[in-house]
Amino acid sequence: QVRLVESGGGLVQAGGSLRLSCAASGSISSINAMNWYRQAPGKQRGLIAGITSAGVTNYADSVKGRFAISRDNAKNTVYLQMNSLKPEDTAVYYCNAETYIGARVYYFWGQGTQVTVSS
């Protein structure tokens, strides 16, 4: 079992920055990758950034060049630095952990944190 707690959301003006944090606890050693998803009102939840245990990152085209995912293994925390924010970035942001237990994959989710970008 992995528990994830997000923080750092809030209200920011367009062009501003925010940094989201996701603190993991529990079966940390089973985590293969950590991801950030977001869900805007009326839209499906979608992957925007991920980082593997080896530090390999990937980004959705919509955030590439503006967002950066990183991890602090000593703190069991993953960050999402969001720069040059746009109103269309407004959404609930969720942290996700991809874990392997034996041959099976399990996904755990945080409770989400609201990000609102005003124009």
Side-chain angles (χ1 to χ4, degrees), residues 33 85 98:
L85 283 162
E98 176 189 274

Side-chain angles (χ1 to χ4, degrees), residues 7-86:
S7 61
L11 174 64
V12 64
Q13 287 189 330
S17 297
L18 281 175
R19 189 177 80 156
L20 305 183
S21 299
C22 173
S25 60
S27 301
I28 303 298
S29 60
S30 66
I31 296 176
N32 177 60
M34 297 287 291
N35 306 296
W36 286 97
Y37 285 72
R38 69 184 181 188
Q39 187 169 19
K43 295 188 177 181
Q44 287 190 327
R45 190 177 300 188
L47 175 66
I48 56 168
I51 185 167
T52 69
S53 55
V56 177
T57 60
N58 63 281
Y59 298 94
D61 288 342
S62 59
V63 306
K64 202 171 291 184
R66 300 188 298 123
F67 291 11
I69 188 171
S70 61
R71 62 193 297 166
D72 184 335
N73 291 329
K75 296 182 178 180
N76 296 322
T77 299
V78 172
Y79 303 98
L80 185 67
Q81 178 66 44
M82 306 186 294
N83 300 324
S84 302
L85 283 162
K86 305 174 182 180

